[in-house]
Amino acid sequence: MEYIVNMDSSVEEDMAMSWKPFGAKEESETLVDGVPPYMVNSVIDWMGQAELLLCYDENHYSCFDEMELDSRRRRSLVSEFDRKSRLDSYLYDANTKSYFRVKEHMNRIGLMYLDYLIEKLDELREDYDSSLVSGRMPIVDSAVEYLYEDLEKILSESGSKWRVGKRNGYCGLEERVSPMMQQIADELVESKSSASQLLSDAWHSMFGRNPDYSEAYATAVKSVEAVVLPIVEPNNKKSTLSKAAAVMRDQKWSFQIEANPKNNVNGGVIQLLMSAYNV
């Protein structure tokens, strides 16, 4: 099998065009869940490339050779997937390409296996970056990043509701949101503060493949507390968000929720968040 890493994607990006099928409506369409038929080939090809990078045969590889899949390492990869997913996928002895061409298999675990491969690629990259183990490919980091970008391109062009999320230790599929909301979240998380790390956890709980809305809300509150409490009540170690809200009301704090006044309500979402969480 052959694995080719395009080290210069700028040419491809420059040539890319926002092509739309003839007669398609201009307005945005509803994002789709799962792996629709028109996306199957691209997803299967991507899975094959990911498996190859994760399970290449180190005894038959040099920078001048084609990569070969190590079947033993690939079976180990699938066994771990079965254990962590608590499923008997029947993928252990199957060919990935043939297996996922069966609609039932793709519908049942396609996205789950995709999510798993994304995480394993990130583990591979971290292992390489931290230890620089002898025998590892010298282009691991670039290869993983290329695969992530390629998958995101597949998902985006297919109108998938899922995107590749890479944030504070979390690598996997997460729900696609509006570009403006995504940009705000990215900027906040990249600040590397304790609040940003909590916000990252909350985002993953909200938009990840296995959402936990209660956990997302609780962690979002903690992220706001990390910012608010040191400012409003720096000497009160037992303060909470609701207590801080009461102090702000008593001291007649004021702040703007929306740039456009007509979108403002009394305190807006922040007021609801700070008042509703009484811990």
Side-chain angles (χ1 to χ4, degrees), residues 46 49-51 53-54 116-126 140 143-144 147-148:
W46 188 90
Q49 292 181 66
E51 284 186 345
L53 185 59
L54 290 166
Y116 170 72
L117 291 176
I118 294 171
E119 180 185 348
K120 295 302 294 183
L121 286 169
D122 194 52
E123 287 181 12
L124 175 68
R125 178 166 60 178
E126 288 184 3
V140 165
V144 170
L147 282 174
Y148 282 164

Side-chain angles (χ1 to χ4, degrees), residues 198-199 202 215-225 241 273:
L198 287 166
L199 181 62
E215 178 67 18
Y217 179 74
T219 310
V221 168
K222 291 177 183 177
S223 72
V224 177
E225 285 182 334
L241 200 55
L273 181 69

